[in-house]
């Protein structure tokens, strides 16, 4: 038997942790060491004959071509980095040392797997970026867009969505949704048995791999368009529980996510959930500063802001506006005899009836107790305010039925017109308030 003089060298190469490749001028593999299977998932026999660019992540092909040109021009590359798709669909980061052999017309390269190092570096960078995004994002949508970019430095995320869950209504909403084939869904009630429902109810991440996808979809019996190749969702958790799902997925031909990706995404989701919760808290505080908590109507402060803006518009365009100051007759008796619970229900129902009497552009505000103010803007009809006041009186002719109690409540209404009854917010409110008390006293005297 003829001995192989290169056998010791070949054995040494096969024992190396790094993989050694010989690639021709067209990027076709002519030799691969045994370590290539550990790094890329393919045996040397499977790799020989393949083109390196076919194994490469598409996003990295152009920069790699530039590197190849440099190597073949006599400029060795010692620390060039790019990414490949493992046989199992996962992405691996490779650092190359490569040179061109003119005698053999081959590019000789040593590939080192730096996936774990890159993952660690990317994670640290992502943490900083997420923290920065949390403090600079103007609103949640811009935050989600930035988070998508950040996660994209860690994983291939062509399909990425942030889904929020409202535990009170049971609805899912999709404030951020990027998908190759599926349009942004309208909000819908959480469907039992779906991937989303499993995550929200268990509070645990869910990874559906290509090996398990078919069986899970058959169990689901619900189609939302093209079936994914791989699906990974992690819960967005706050101190109240699961508030949503952060999801990435791939379609056939795409990457396959693994448990490391799941851990990474779960770590990122914790940061995102904290930001979402803080943003929601800030939005809630801003809402509470402007709206009455019982009726959800604008409060006194917000009414002043709107009235000030309306007066500015009216002065510029020489338009009219009017205020209706409304008080419920004998409201105190309702509280004293039936309790504050019934009184609160009466105020809420009053708010609903008042809103039905005006246009969307008008403002109905609760300014305290059983007092309400309506701001009517942009009407050119001199009798519009009187017409709305009569409409309100007619609306209150129907009795209120509140937890078995049947009540008939009449409103006292005072009207102030701009500019006849005042030139600023204080003058108009004072005039309407006095007109309301005159109407109330007249009503009481007639009883």
């Amino acid at each position: 038997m003829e001995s192989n003089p290169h056998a010791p060298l070949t054995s040494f190469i096969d024992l190396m942790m790094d993989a050694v490749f010989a690639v021709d001028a067209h990027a076709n593999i002519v030799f691969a060491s045994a370590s290539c299977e550990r790094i890329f998932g393919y045996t040397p026999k499977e790799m020989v004959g393949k083109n390196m660019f076919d194994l490469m992540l598409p996003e990295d092909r152009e920069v790699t071509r530039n590197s190849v040109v440099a190597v073949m021009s006599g400029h060795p590359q010692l620390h060039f980095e790019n990414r490949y798709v493992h046989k199992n669909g996962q992405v691996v980061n490779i650092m190359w040392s490569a040179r061109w052999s003119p005698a053999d017309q081959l590019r000789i390269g040593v590939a080192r797997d730096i996936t774990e190092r890159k993952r660690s570096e990317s994670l640290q960078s992502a943490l900083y970026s997420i923290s920065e995004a949390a403090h600079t994002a103007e609103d949640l949508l811009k935050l989600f867009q930035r988070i998508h970019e950040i996660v994209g430095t860690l994983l291939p995320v062509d399909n990425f969505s942030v889904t929020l869950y409202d535990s009170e209504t049971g609805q899912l909403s999709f404030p951020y949704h990027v998908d190759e084939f599926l349009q942004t869904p309208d909000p819908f009630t959480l469907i039992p048995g779906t991937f989303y429902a499993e995550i929200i109810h268990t509070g645990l991440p869910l990874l559906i791999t290509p090996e398990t996808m078919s069986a899970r979809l058959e169990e689901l019996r619900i189609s939302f368009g093209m079936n994914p190749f791989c699906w990974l969702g992690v819960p967005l958790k706050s101190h109240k529980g699961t508030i949503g799902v952060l999801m990435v997925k791939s379609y056939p031909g795409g990457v396959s996510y693994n448990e490391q990706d799941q851990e990474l995404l779960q770590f990122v989701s914790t940061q995102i959930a904290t930001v979402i919760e803080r943003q929601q808290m800030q939005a809630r505080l801003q809402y509470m500063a402007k709206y009455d908590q019982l009726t959800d109507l604008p409060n006194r402060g917000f009414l002043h802001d709107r009235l000030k803006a309306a007066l500015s518009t009216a002065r510029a365009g020489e338009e009219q506006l009017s205020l209706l100051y409304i008080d419920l007759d004998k409201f105190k008796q309702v509280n004293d005899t039936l309790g504050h619970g019934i009184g609160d229900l009466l105020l809420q129902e009053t708010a609903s009836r008042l809103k039905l009497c005006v246009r969307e552009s008008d403002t109905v505000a609760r300014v305290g107790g059983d007092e309400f103010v309506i701001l009517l803007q942009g009407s050119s009809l001199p009798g519009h305010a009187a017409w709305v006041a009569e409409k309100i009186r007619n609306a209150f002719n129907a009795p209120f039925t509140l937890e078995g109690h049947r009540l008939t409540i009449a409103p006292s209404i005072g009207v102030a017109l701009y500019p006849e009854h005042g030139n600023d917010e204080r003058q108009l409110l004072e005039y309407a308030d006095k007109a309301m008390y005159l109407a109330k006293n007249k009503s009481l005297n007639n009883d």
Side-chain angles (χ1 to χ4, degrees):
M1 178 181 292
E2 185 179 350
S3 63
N4 179 3
H6 302 295
L9 178 59
T10 302
S11 298
F12 173 74
I13 290 175
D14 288 345
L15 290 172
M16 290 176 62
M17 294 297 291
D18 298 340
V20 179
F21 288 89
V23 181
D24 67 18
H26 303 290
N28 295 315
I29 301 169
V30 299
F31 171 81
S33 67
S35 294
C36 72
E37 185 173 4
R38 178 183 61 81
I39 298 175
F40 297 92
Y42 298 97
T43 65
K45 185 177 180 180
E46 289 175 318
M47 294 206 80
V48 171
K50 288 183 180 293
N51 190 282
M52 292 297 290
F53 286 95
D54 291 338
L55 302 171
M56 201 178 298
L57 205 65
E59 296 91 325
D60 290 358
R61 289 173 183 168
E62 186 60 32
V63 68
T64 302
R65 286 190 180 93
N66 295 333
S67 173
V68 169
V69 170
V71 170
M72 294 177 66
S73 299
H75 302 284
Q77 298 285 296
L78 299 180
H79 303 290
F80 178 75
E81 298 179 8
N82 59 6
R83 295 170 295 175
Y84 288 78
V85 180
H86 193 278
K87 187 177 181 179
N88 63 12
Q90 299 168 20
V91 174
V92 290
N93 292 79
I94 302 297
M95 183 171 69
W96 291 94
S97 295
R99 68 175 181 83
W100 175 249
S101 172
D104 301 310
Q105 288 293 290
L106 293 174
R107 186 159 36 95
I108 311 300
V110 178
R112 173 167 295 178
D113 185 353
I114 58 170
T115 303
E116 290 305 317
R117 193 197 82 191
K118 297 295 288 187
R119 185 183 296 273
S120 177
E121 292 174 354
S122 297
L123 179 58
Q124 293 301 317
S125 176
L127 280 175
Y128 176 80
S129 297
I130 289 171
S131 176
E132 184 179 44
H135 290 89
T136 60
E138 298 178 14
D139 53 42
L140 280 179
L141 177 59
K142 291 183 178 179
L143 172 64
F144 296 150
Q145 291 171 336
R146 179 64 184 131
I147 293 298
H148 188 184
E149 294 174 3
I150 295 169
V151 176
T153 67
L154 308 175
L155 305 169
V157 284
D158 292 336
N159 306 287
F160 178 95
S161 73
V162 177
T163 302
L164 298 183
Y165 174 65
D166 187 332
S167 58
E168 294 184 4
T169 64
Q171 280 208 324
L172 295 179
S173 59
F174 301 82
Y176 188 78
H177 182 86
V178 176
D179 195 290
E180 295 172 87
F181 298 101
L182 181 65
Q183 292 184 343
T184 304
D186 293 327
F188 61 84
T189 302
L190 183 63
I191 302 172
T194 58
F195 299 161
Y196 288 113
E198 184 170 337
I199 294 173
I200 289 169
H201 290 151
T202 65
L204 299 174
L206 179 61
L207 173 60
I208 310 296
T209 64
E211 293 76 21
T212 60
M213 181 64 71
S214 296
R216 291 303 302 265
L217 290 175
E218 188 173 341
E219 291 175 10
L220 191 58
R221 299 180 183 277
I222 298 174
S223 175
F224 292 100
M226 179 178 287
N227 291 336
F229 176 68
C230 189
W231 196 96
L232 172 58
V234 296
L236 296 170
K237 290 185 175 182
S238 73
H239 71 282
K240 296 179 181 179
T242 302
I243 60 172
V245 175
L246 177 64
M247 184 274 292
V248 296
K249 67 179 176 181
S250 62
Y251 287 106
V255 299
S256 177
Y257 300 109
N258 59 23
E259 291 185 359
Q260 286 183 316
D261 297 329
Q262 175 180 302
E263 292 174 4
L264 189 59
L265 203 63
Q266 193 170 6
F267 186 80
V268 174
S269 76
T270 301
Q271 315 304 315
I272 296 173
T274 300
V275 176
I276 291 174
E277 188 175 31
R278 183 164 67 245
Q279 292 265 0
Q280 289 178 334
M281 179 65 73
Q282 291 173 349
R284 179 61 181 164
L285 290 174
Q286 291 174 355
Y287 182 87
M288 291 172 63
K290 294 181 177 181
Y291 290 87
D292 171 56
Q293 294 185 51
L294 179 63
T295 62
D296 280 333
L297 295 178
N299 59 20
R300 181 184 291 273
F302 197 17
L303 172 68
H304 274 271
D305 291 342
R306 288 193 174 180
L307 179 54
K308 186 174 183 179
L311 281 168
S312 178
T313 301
R315 293 185 188 109
E318 297 184 353
E319 297 178 358
Q320 288 187 324
L321 64 81
S322 52
L323 289 179
L324 277 65
Y325 209 115
I326 303 161
D327 181 273
L328 302 182
D329 296 347
K330 302 179 181 178
F331 176 74
K332 186 175 183 301
Q333 294 180 18
V334 175
N335 273 340
D336 291 343
T337 58
L338 300 178
H340 289 277
I342 298 298
D344 287 347
L345 291 176
L346 175 58
L347 292 173
Q348 290 172 336
E349 182 62 26
T350 294
S352 298
R353 293 194 185 188
L354 290 177
K355 286 192 290 186
L356 292 174
C357 294
V358 299
R359 304 162 298 185
E360 286 287 335
S361 58
D362 298 325
T363 299
V364 180
R366 182 187 177 209
V367 295
D370 61 329
E371 295 182 343
F372 299 82
V373 172
I374 296 178
L375 166 61
L376 303 174
Q377 291 179 249
S379 175
S380 59
L381 298 175
H384 182 66
W387 177 79
V388 173
E390 187 61 27
K391 188 176 180 181
I392 292 171
R393 293 187 188 96
N394 291 334
F396 277 70
N397 286 335
F400 293 84
T401 302
L402 308 169
E403 293 189 353
H405 300 281
R406 188 176 174 85
L407 307 175
T408 300
I409 300 293
S412 293
I413 305 174
V415 177
L417 305 176
Y418 169 83
E420 291 93 323
H421 302 140
N423 292 313
D424 58 29
E425 306 96 278
R426 182 185 60 80
Q427 292 174 353
L428 289 169
L429 284 167
E430 285 183 356
Y431 188 94
D433 188 20
K434 290 178 181 177
M436 180 272 292
Y437 274 106
L438 288 174
K440 180 180 284 289
N441 289 333
K442 182 177 179 181
S443 176
L444 294 174
N445 291 333
N446 290 337
D447 286 347

